[in-house]
Amino acid sequence: KSVNPFYLFGSFYNRIRYGMNRLGNSLDFFSKRKTSKDYKIVNDILEQKLKLEGYEVTIAKISKSKFEFIISSDKILNLETGKEIKFKIYINYFSIVPFFKQSIFKGIVSSFHLNQYGINTKICSLLPELSLTILLRKIYLSGIIEPIELYDIFQLAIKLRQICEHNLFDKNDLNKIRKTLIKAEGNLGNKKIRNVDF
């Protein structure tokens, strides 16, 4: 229904594409143009599907392009207290501008056939072999990193042996990536990192 396709990338995509553990709680999408109308279309579809599955859903707007889904069900209870457990899922929308030039973005889009978790569908995504590079670019330009993304950088580089593709960065950018990552990681604090480890 959206004029602009949404391309899945980031921590959740890495979970389903590479079978990584330590599940994150966010869905990250790139699109060619960001509009409130497009966000609403996707959010409404997600809400409708969740409600059809029997979940209660509340959506809160965190920022112009970030939304919090609070999801619960009377069938999912805390075994100790007997109370409903509420899950928080964050939906993040990113415009390809300023992250990528239009010509570059055309070359990194892909699709992924998801046939698990009771789902059988084809989803638009970014190239899996560029997961590390795309993640580094997003972190570099935003200056923000999530603990799960820090974990993914390690796994993508060490376990999957991905390398940073230099053609997605300017020469000056390449010299600053490491410094930006260290600063962003320092802003996380040990508590957030320990929570992801747990």
Side-chain angles (χ1 to χ4, degrees), residues 107-190:
I108 65 173
V109 298
S110 181
S111 62
F112 176 61
H113 193 104
L114 178 58
N115 189 13
Q116 53 188 333
Y117 310 113
I119 300 167
N120 188 357
T121 189
K122 202 171 195 179
I123 55 175
C124 295
S125 65
L126 299 188
L127 284 172
E129 55 267 34
L130 292 179
S131 286
L132 175 65
T133 306
I134 291 163
L135 180 56
L136 287 173
R137 185 152 183 82
K138 191 209 73 136
I139 294 163
Y140 172 70
L141 290 174
S142 67
I144 300 169
I145 188 171
E146 296 294 331
I148 197 72
E149 292 173 335
L150 194 64
Y151 174 77
D152 281 7
I153 287 173
F154 177 78
Q155 289 294 321
L156 289 165
I158 303 301
K159 189 176 178 181
L160 296 168
R161 300 191 179 279
Q162 287 195 4
I163 59 171
C164 176
E165 297 294 339
H166 289 191
N167 61 334
L168 267 67
F169 294 88
D170 293 333
K171 284 185 179 179
N172 290 334
D173 295 338
L174 290 170
N175 296 326
K176 299 173 186 174
I177 292 174
R178 180 180 169 84
K179 195 179 288 185
T180 302
L181 281 175
I182 292 169
K183 185 178 178 182
E185 185 268 339
N187 291 336
L188 278 176
N190 289 331

Side-chain angles (χ1 to χ4, degrees), residues 17-47:
R17 185 66 179 79
Y18 296 113
M20 289 185 182
N21 57 6
R22 284 183 173 85
L23 293 177
N25 66 333
S26 65
L27 287 166
D28 297 328
F29 295 98
F30 268 118
S31 65
K32 291 182 181 178
R33 190 181 76 240
K34 298 196 295 183
T35 68
S36 297
K37 184 179 178 183
D38 285 339
Y39 299 159
K40 187 171 183 341
I41 289 171
V42 178
N43 288 346
D44 287 349
I45 291 170
L46 291 172
E47 182 181 14

